[in-house]
């Protein structure tokens, strides 16, 4: 199955709270006025699975608003806000095969999997 990916510029719109997304993030060429040490290292841009949240409280108690969180609990902010690896674009992840949802729990998961595997 092929999936069509529609990328959204974070400057135009942010995802809905709590949904999983693919996020394009990285370290980009310096915009000029930044601290040269903060932008050191090789520039990169890559896609990672994350979720978006309107409020995230880090382990140290720091509150982050409208941010992307990866599987290691690294907080990344939308491009244009101070962040070492900001998110420039996002896309909703595809749904589960043959379904319109991103997750199934419990017995429903077993039944759905058997159905798509024709078992």
């Amino acid at each position: 199955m092929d999936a069509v990916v529609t990328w959204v510029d974070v400057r135009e719109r942010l995802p809905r709270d709590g949904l999983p997304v693919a996020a394009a993030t990285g370290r980009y060429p310096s915009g000029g006025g930044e601290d040269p040490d903060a932008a050191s290292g090789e520039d990169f841009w890559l896609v990672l699975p994350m979720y978006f949240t309107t409020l995230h409280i880090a382990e140290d108690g720091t509150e982050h608003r409208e941010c992307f969180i990866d599987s290691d609990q690294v907080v990344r902010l939308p491009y244009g806000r101070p962040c070492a690896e900001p998110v420039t674009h996002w896309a909703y992840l595809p749904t589960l095969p043959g379904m319109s949802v991103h997750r199934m729990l419990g017995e429903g998961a077993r039944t759905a999997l058997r159905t798509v595997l024709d078992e």
Side-chain angles (χ1 to χ4, degrees):
M1 281 187 253
D2 291 333
V4 175
V5 177
T6 302
W7 288 101
V8 179
D9 187 322
V10 297
R11 297 169 298 177
E12 296 174 11
R13 183 168 48 101
L14 294 171
R16 293 191 319 236
D17 186 44
L19 286 181
V21 296
T25 184
R27 186 171 42 239
Y28 321 108
S30 172
E34 296 178 21
D35 173 7
D37 290 331
S40 64
E42 187 173 3
D43 296 332
F44 65 92
W45 194 32
L46 56 90
V47 174
L48 294 174
M50 298 188 196
Y51 73 92
F52 178 79
T53 184
T54 55
L55 175 63
H56 175 75
I57 301 175
E59 288 182 14
D60 66 0
T62 303
E63 287 188 14
H64 301 277
R65 297 195 181 273
E66 296 187 327
C67 58
F68 296 84
I69 312 296
D70 74 10
S71 61
D72 292 326
Q73 298 300 301
V74 174
V75 175
R76 290 182 175 85
L77 302 176
Y79 185 78
R81 292 174 49 195
C83 180
E85 297 177 13
V87 171
T88 62
H89 296 77
W90 63 271
Y92 287 117
L93 293 177
T95 58
L96 287 165
M99 307 195 78
S100 61
V101 297
H102 289 96
R103 67 179 172 196
M104 294 290 300
L105 304 172
E107 184 57 37
R110 266 189 221 114
T111 302
L113 185 57
R114 278 193 298 264
T115 300
V116 298
L117 294 177
D118 294 327
E119 293 181 353

